[in-house]
Amino acid sequence: MSDTPGSHEHVQRGVVSAVGAISLATLASRVLGYLRDMVVAHAFGAGPVTDAFLVAFRIPNLLRRLLGEGALSTAVIPVFTETLTQGGPEAFGRLARAATGAAIVVLCLVSALGVLLSHQVVAIMAPGWRADAALFDLAVSLTRVMFPYLVLVGLAALAMGALNAHHRFFTAALGPAVVNVAMIVAVFGLAGHIDPPVMALAVGVLVGGLGQLLVQLPELRRLGVPIRPSAEWRHPAVARIAHRLWPAVFALAAVQITVVVNTLLASLLPAGTVSYLYYADRVMEFPLGIFGIALATAALPSMSAQAARGELAGLRATLEFALRMAAFVAVPAAVGLVLLGGPIVRVLFQRGEFSAADAVLTAQALTGYAVGLPAFSATRIAAQTFYALGDTRTPVLVGFVSVAVNVVLALLLMWPMRHTGLALASSLSSYVNVLGLCWLLRRRLGGPRGADLRRSLARTLAASALLVLWCAWMSGLVPGVPAPAHQGLAWTAVALVGGMAIYAAGAAALGSSELRGLLGMLRRRPGTLPPAAGR
């Protein structure tokens, strides 16, 4: 395909269609995830037991994001796409078998080390718990049970990479929903029969990881992708994956280290702090996962194919398109989470052991995270552009600068603002990350072009200003408007749906081309797309 405006639009139409499929599957996963969190909050509240599970789950989950769904898929998808584009199905099948064999060995080794060193790992993750032997031992036991989850979810990530290289996104994106279902079933079916009851969640995680892998195998078979591993570790493409993997691990580590730092510092604050940050992050990740991460996931195979063909102008157009679309959704979502965070948290979690005080503290953390939502969305898109170009070193360097900023800000903000300060530090450091990546991309690709993004962002901010007025009016923050007596489910639904309608109307009045692209995605029809920059 030539590097022309027509080919750019063809790629963008494919990205929009893929985002629709990924978002639909991710929506199902997120809804089930909230149901899972409601079940956990009702059963265990936001106290020490939940803190122990969340710290234990965060350890293999962190490695999953580094070695599994994160770095592995980031390193695999460009190589898989290049092999499929240039070598055809036979070469791709050989590579898939070789990569699977190598992944099994590496993931099993890391998992075994994790089980053996669980005590030391928990001591690093939550040093403030050393004074509470029972809480510390519970976290260690949960960690040991859940570490094998890394093997299962890592192989699931490899399967996802194979599907995405074939531009098949729905099944892979649906996989995490299986984990949520397994955890919900485990709480209801096992919690009353296991001591301690929270161990049921760990069992649910393991079963869900297996299900996440198995659900993708039928589609792989239909595509003719072999799923049997081989010991061909000297396959040249496996070496290229390994070459890309470790820098990608460190690049994603820059993001995940902020999570580790926040968890470590949160263990020094009052009990429940880890839970407040977790539940707030879960709410913030809903719009991030539904659109931001979905957009980055959909764009990576297309960007990789463009880079492999040397179509740098097309790659820049895809990058600019993705950034504009991400901002169009992330900015109003951030406004809504900041101004309506309290009612949202109460509707989702305030029941059973999760008290009104827990809801207030969680909403405070949500405000800190929501500030960074636009940057969280854009960072992944910008980093994926470097990965598509085969450059995994630059995101590492920029990422670790943002980590240093996060550590400094967290130490400065945690004492006066407690958990809210930790969340805000993550948000502010994410802006350092995305601005650094975009500045370097401008030097390398001549884009993203500031003028095009500024015009798009100005329309988005203007429409979001109308959303601010709506949320303030609904909440009784406008002088002369009484505050609502009860902000329950019906009130929250009206506030959210009304806000989306007002934002969309404002964007349409301003002639926002991003709105047409979003509507095309929601209909799962490409429709009319925002024009590529420079056309």
Side-chain angles (χ1 to χ4, degrees):
M1 184 179 296
S2 61
D3 195 2
T4 63
S7 68
H8 301 171
E9 182 165 329
H10 176 80
V11 171
Q12 292 175 13
R13 290 180 186 278
V15 171
V16 166
S17 179
V19 170
I22 297 170
S23 296
L24 182 61
T26 304
L27 177 62
S29 177
R30 296 293 179 177
V31 170
L32 287 168
Y34 282 125
L35 180 59
R36 178 201 71 193
D37 289 338
M38 291 177 189
V39 169
V40 173
H42 183 273
F44 303 108
V49 171
T50 306
D51 282 358
F53 169 75
L54 294 177
V55 167
F57 184 48
R58 184 159 287 170
I59 294 167
N61 208 38
L62 172 65
L63 291 173
R64 169 186 68 81
R65 293 186 178 186
L66 294 181
L67 293 175
E69 295 175 354
L72 186 58
S73 60
T74 297
V76 161
I77 291 174
V79 178
F80 273 14
T81 302
E82 179 184 345
T83 301
L84 185 62
T85 301
Q86 299 179 353
E90 184 176 349
F92 180 84
R94 178 186 165 198
L95 170 58
R97 293 188 62 202
T100 301
I104 289 174
V105 174
V106 173
L107 293 170
C108 285
L109 178 60
V110 174
S111 181
L113 288 174
V115 171
L116 292 174
L117 301 176
S118 292
H119 188 279
Q120 291 82 356
V121 173
V122 173
I124 294 172
M125 289 287 290
W129 290 358
R130 287 178 177 271
D132 190 336
L135 180 62
F136 187 87
D137 290 343
L138 176 59
V140 171
S141 298
L142 290 166
T143 301
R144 285 176 177 153
V145 171
M146 284 190 287
F147 242 109
Y149 168 70
L150 173 64
V151 178
L152 299 168
V153 79
L155 294 175
L158 198 63
M160 178 186 71
L163 290 175
N164 287 0
H166 286 83
H167 293 269
R168 302 295 181 92
F169 297 95
F170 181 77
T171 302
L174 194 61
V178 179
V179 180
N180 294 327
V181 171
M183 292 176 69
I184 293 169
V185 172
V187 171
F188 286 113
L190 297 178
H193 306 284
I194 295 180
D195 187 28
V198 73
M199 192 63 71
L201 284 172
V203 175
V205 168
L206 288 178
V207 174
L210 178 61
Q212 187 172 354
L213 172 61
L214 295 178
V215 75
Q216 299 181 75
L217 298 186
E219 187 164 9
L220 285 174
R221 289 195 183 95
R222 286 196 297 271
L223 291 171
V225 177
I227 58 177
R228 299 185 309 278
S230 73
E232 193 182 356
W233 299 346
R234 294 187 178 181
H235 190 291
V238 172
R240 292 206 307 275
I241 291 174
H243 179 73
R244 293 175 180 232
L245 177 62
W246 296 112
V249 166
F250 286 109
L252 289 168
V255 177
Q256 297 306 317
I257 285 173
T258 63
V259 176
V260 174
V261 169
N262 281 357
T263 301
L264 187 153
L265 296 177
S267 73
L268 305 175
L269 296 175
T273 298
V274 174
S275 297
Y276 305 143
L277 290 170
Y278 170 79
Y279 288 121
D281 181 65
R282 289 290 297 159
V283 176
M284 187 272 294
E285 283 192 352
F286 185 83
L288 181 62
I290 291 295
F291 195 82
I293 294 177
L295 183 59
T297 301
L300 180 57
S302 297
M303 286 180 166
S304 299
Q306 288 173 320
R309 294 190 295 263
E311 298 173 3
L312 297 186
L315 179 60
R316 184 181 65 238
T318 303
L319 167 65
E320 293 171 353
F321 164 72
L323 289 175
R324 283 162 32 222
M325 291 295 293
F328 182 74
V329 173
V331 171
V335 169
L337 292 179
V338 169
L339 296 178
L340 301 176
I344 291 172
V345 170
R346 285 194 294 272
V347 167
L348 289 175
F349 303 124
Q350 188 176 317
R351 57 185 59 82
E353 295 296 320
F354 197 96
S355 66
D358 293 333
V360 171
L361 294 169
T362 300
Q364 292 171 355
L366 177 58
T367 298
Y369 279 133
V371 169
L373 182 57
F376 292 136
S377 299
T379 295
R380 180 141 183 186
I381 294 168
Q384 302 267 71
T385 308
F386 283 103
Y387 300 146
L389 290 166
D391 179 0
T392 52
R393 181 176 299 177
T394 299
V396 173
L397 299 177
V398 177
F400 276 104
V401 171
S402 73
V403 168
V405 172
N406 176 77
V407 172
V408 172
L409 290 175
L411 291 172
L412 291 174
L413 298 175
M414 68 176 290
W415 301 117
M417 301 178 68
R418 294 186 177 269
H419 57 288
T420 306
L422 295 178
L424 185 60
S426 295
S427 293
L428 296 178
S429 65
S430 70
Y431 282 99
V432 174
N433 200 343
V434 71
L435 290 175
L437 290 173
C438 287
W439 180 73
L440 292 170
L441 282 171
R442 284 196 67 184
R443 296 186 62 184
R444 182 159 182 175
L445 294 176
R449 299 175 184 175
D452 297 311
L453 287 177
R454 282 195 296 270
R455 285 192 290 270
S456 174
L457 188 58
R459 293 192 298 266
T460 296
L461 290 173
S464 296
L466 298 176
L467 177 60
V468 170
L469 295 176
W470 165 261
C471 293
W473 182 78
M474 286 292 294
S475 301
L477 300 177
V478 176
V481 177
H486 179 65
Q487 296 176 328
L489 175 60
W491 183 93
T492 304
V494 170
L496 292 174
V497 174
M500 287 188 288
I502 287 175
Y503 175 73
L510 293 167
S512 174
S513 56
E514 291 77 20
L515 178 63
R516 295 194 298 275
L518 179 63
L519 293 176
M521 183 207 76
L522 294 176
R523 299 186 191 105
R524 294 197 64 189
R525 295 199 305 268
T528 302
L529 291 174
R535 283 169 43 196

